[in-house]
């Protein structure tokens, strides 16, 4: 299969990839092709006057097998993310060895993808029935948000991350950014899973007990006149060591109605300590101890601070709160979202 056949194949089977890929833009002449000692094609770039190979210049296939075979317990994974296509030797070998895996591919260099299309049969290397996502980076400047959106698509399974060692050296900065973002997203996903395991029963209990409050209070997104907030900034005040340093700034802003002041969590107690009554307090912590944050408001019967609460917040928080309340439906509250179709 030559380049034209591969391009026709992409147009038909991977139209989204074709929309983003430009062969003329990609062909910059930076990625060179030569023949390895065993007759297979291999790639190299010139760095400081010397040739740096992306694959072995002796036996690229044997090198790919060694790379894949170093991974342990691959049977326990469900998905593999390949960072770097190269000429696809490692992708082809791994997917044949582990036919249960689905996979995604991220290629940080357009020209390498072009060389891949010139020298390999795409449908032989990459079985489309197991391909979940493929992304070709168009330039050296990584769009962090686009990359994060791409990575979020595949971190729902047990993911094996496979990168070509040559990419880690040749595209070191791109690789560093990619790996750091991938690690952060995996960490956040793990934290989310742990939180769900710890709070799932509590969320259900809170949502059931809070249901009357949800039904009898306005929804912050749907029932409040949005013109109230139009063209006026808001300051979100959270607790921290620097808060007291900014107290007088916050006081000035509020006294002159320059912005709305919203307190998050225990920051409300710092504001009250300095005689500042925020325009609203926000809370969604599902634990029973969350009620302690508002003990001063309850004890002093302060009824002028609206409470914007998540519908799965610890129910104890709402039981004695003296001020007006406004709710927002949280993703953890499956009960209210089921009952309130709007």
């Amino acid at each position: 299969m030559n380049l034209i056949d591969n391009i026709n194949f992409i147009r038909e089977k991977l139209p989204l990839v074709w929309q983003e890929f430009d062969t003329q833009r990609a062909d910059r002449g930076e990625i060179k092709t030569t023949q390895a000692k065993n007759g297979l094609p291999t790639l190299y770039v010139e760095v400081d006057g010397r040739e740096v190979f992306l694959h072995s210049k002796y036996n690229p296939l044997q090198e790919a097998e060694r790379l894949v075979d170093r991974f342990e317990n691959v049977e326990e994974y469900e998905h593999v993310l390949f960072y770097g296509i190269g000429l696809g030797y490692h992708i082809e070998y791994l997917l044949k060895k582990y036919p249960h895996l689905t996979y995604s591919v991220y290629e940080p260099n357009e020209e390498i993808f072009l060389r891949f299309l010139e020298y390999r049969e795409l449908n032989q290397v990459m079985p489309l029935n197991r391909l979940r996502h493929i992304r070709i980076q168009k330039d050296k400047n990584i769009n962090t948000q686009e990359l994060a959106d791409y990575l979020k698509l595949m971190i729902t399974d047990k993911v094996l991350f496979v990168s070509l060692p040559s990419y880690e050296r040749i595209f070191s900065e791109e690789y560093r950014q990619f790996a750091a973002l991938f690690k952060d997203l995996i960490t956040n996903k793990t934290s989310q899973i742990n939180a769900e395991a710890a709070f799932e029963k509590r969320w259900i209990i809170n949502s059931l007990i809070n249901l009357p409050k949800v039904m009898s209070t306005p929804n912050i997104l749907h029932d409040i006149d949005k013109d109230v907030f139009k063209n006026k900034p808001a300051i979100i005040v959270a607790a921290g060591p620097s808060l007291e340093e900014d107290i007088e700034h916050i006081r000035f802003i509020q006294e002159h109605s320059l912005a709305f002041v919203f307190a998050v969590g225990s920051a409300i107690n710092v504001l009250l300590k300095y005689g500042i009554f925020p325009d609203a307090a926000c809370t969604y912590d599902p634990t029973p101890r969350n009620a302690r944050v508002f003990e001063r408001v309850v004890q002093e019967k302060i009824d002028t601070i609206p409470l914007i609460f998540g519908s799965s917040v610890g129910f104890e928080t709402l039981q004695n709160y003296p001020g007006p309340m406004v709710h927002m439906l949280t993703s953890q509250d499956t009960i209210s979202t089921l009952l309130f179709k709007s």
Side-chain angles (χ1 to χ4, degrees):
M1 180 180 283
N2 57 27
L3 176 61
I4 299 301
D5 293 330
N6 270 332
I7 288 176
N8 289 334
F9 184 80
I10 291 176
R11 279 175 171 166
E12 179 183 355
K13 302 296 184 181
L14 300 169
L16 295 180
V17 175
W18 176 248
Q19 289 176 18
E20 294 290 324
F21 186 64
D22 186 330
T23 55
Q24 291 184 333
R25 180 185 63 211
D27 196 3
R28 296 186 290 269
E30 298 171 357
I31 309 298
K32 315 291 186 180
T33 309
T34 189
Q35 194 175 71
K37 295 294 185 182
N38 69 340
L40 291 174
T42 187
L43 303 175
Y44 69 93
V45 296
E46 292 185 359
V47 179
D48 298 329
R50 63 187 182 90
E51 297 176 352
V52 179
F53 281 81
L54 277 75
H55 302 290
S56 169
K57 59 182 177 181
Y58 300 102
N59 192 329
L61 186 57
Q62 188 179 72
E63 177 192 55
E65 292 173 356
R66 286 199 302 267
L67 171 65
V68 171
D69 291 343
R70 77 182 186 185
F71 292 102
E72 299 178 351
N73 304 318
V74 178
E75 296 82 359
E76 298 178 5
Y77 291 90
E78 300 171 357
H79 189 77
V80 58
L81 169 60
F82 293 102
Y83 181 84
I85 294 175
L87 289 177
Y89 297 117
H90 62 305
I91 297 176
E92 182 178 9
Y93 178 69
L94 188 146
L95 294 178
K96 285 182 177 178
K97 186 174 182 179
Y98 301 103
H100 73 285
L101 287 171
T102 58
Y103 69 102
S104 297
V105 177
Y106 187 90
E107 173 53 58
N109 186 286
E110 270 192 316
E111 190 170 6
I112 291 178
F113 186 61
L114 178 61
R115 301 291 171 252
F116 170 77
L117 297 179
E118 289 174 343
Y119 287 92
R120 300 301 309 277
E121 291 190 23
L122 188 147
N123 62 348
Q124 176 183 322
V125 176
M126 299 167 57
L128 290 191
N129 62 321
R130 294 158 62 189
L131 175 64
R132 187 175 296 174
H133 304 287
I134 182 170
R135 184 66 180 271
I136 313 300
Q137 188 175 314
K138 289 182 289 187
D139 52 52
K140 291 184 178 180
N141 298 319
I142 294 178
N143 185 313
T144 305
Q145 186 56 54
E146 288 184 4
L147 178 56
D149 292 340
Y150 168 78
L151 290 175
K152 287 176 184 177
L153 297 173
M154 66 198 65
I155 59 174
T156 55
D157 302 323
K158 296 186 67 175
V159 181
L160 174 67
F161 180 61
V162 176
S163 65
L164 280 174
S166 57
Y167 275 65
E168 298 176 28
R169 297 190 301 271
I170 298 170
F171 308 110
S172 57
E173 181 59 25
E174 293 92 333
Y175 174 78
R176 185 193 63 78
Q177 293 183 51
F178 185 97
L181 184 56
F182 183 73
K183 181 179 179 181
D184 288 344
L185 291 171
I186 288 290
T187 301
N188 292 340
K189 184 66 177 181
T190 302
S191 299
Q192 180 183 340
I193 292 172
N194 292 337
E196 289 175 356
F199 296 129
E200 57 185 356
K201 292 182 180 179
R202 180 72 185 180
W203 281 327
I204 294 173
I205 293 170
N206 288 339
S207 299
L208 281 170
I209 297 177
N210 291 341
L211 190 56
K213 293 287 187 183
V214 172
M215 295 180 68
S216 61
T217 56
N219 183 296
I220 187 67
L221 298 178
H222 302 294
D223 302 324
I224 302 297
D225 185 1
K226 293 180 175 58
D227 287 339
V228 173
F229 303 104
K230 189 173 182 179
N231 297 326
K232 189 169 183 179
I235 295 177
I236 299 176
V237 182
S242 63
L243 176 53
E244 295 197 20
E245 298 175 9
D246 294 322
I247 282 295
E248 294 309 315
H249 298 299
I250 296 171
R251 187 194 309 279
F252 181 88
I253 289 169
Q254 190 186 51
E255 288 178 351
H256 292 82
S257 298
L258 301 178
F260 288 109
V261 176
F262 296 113
V264 177
S266 59
I268 188 172
N269 292 311
V270 180
L271 294 177
L272 292 177
K273 174 184 173 182
Y274 288 93
I276 299 174
F277 284 54
D279 294 292
C282 306
T283 185
Y284 71 96
D285 184 346
T287 63
R289 65 176 179 271
N290 189 56
R292 300 176 195 166
V293 173
F294 300 97
E295 283 180 347
R296 178 171 178 175
V297 177
V298 173
Q299 291 170 1
E300 297 181 13
K301 298 181 180 180
I302 301 173
D303 60 2
T304 57
I305 303 175
L307 182 67
I308 304 172
F309 69 91
S311 55
S312 58
V313 72
F315 67 88
E316 299 88 349
T317 305
L318 307 182
Q319 288 182 328
N320 299 309
Y321 192 81
M325 288 186 277
V326 183
H327 74 264
M328 54 183 173
L329 299 182
T330 64
S331 58
Q332 294 83 8
D333 178 7
T334 56
I335 295 169
S336 296
T337 52
L338 177 66
L339 294 176
F340 304 134
K341 294 298 185 182
S342 63

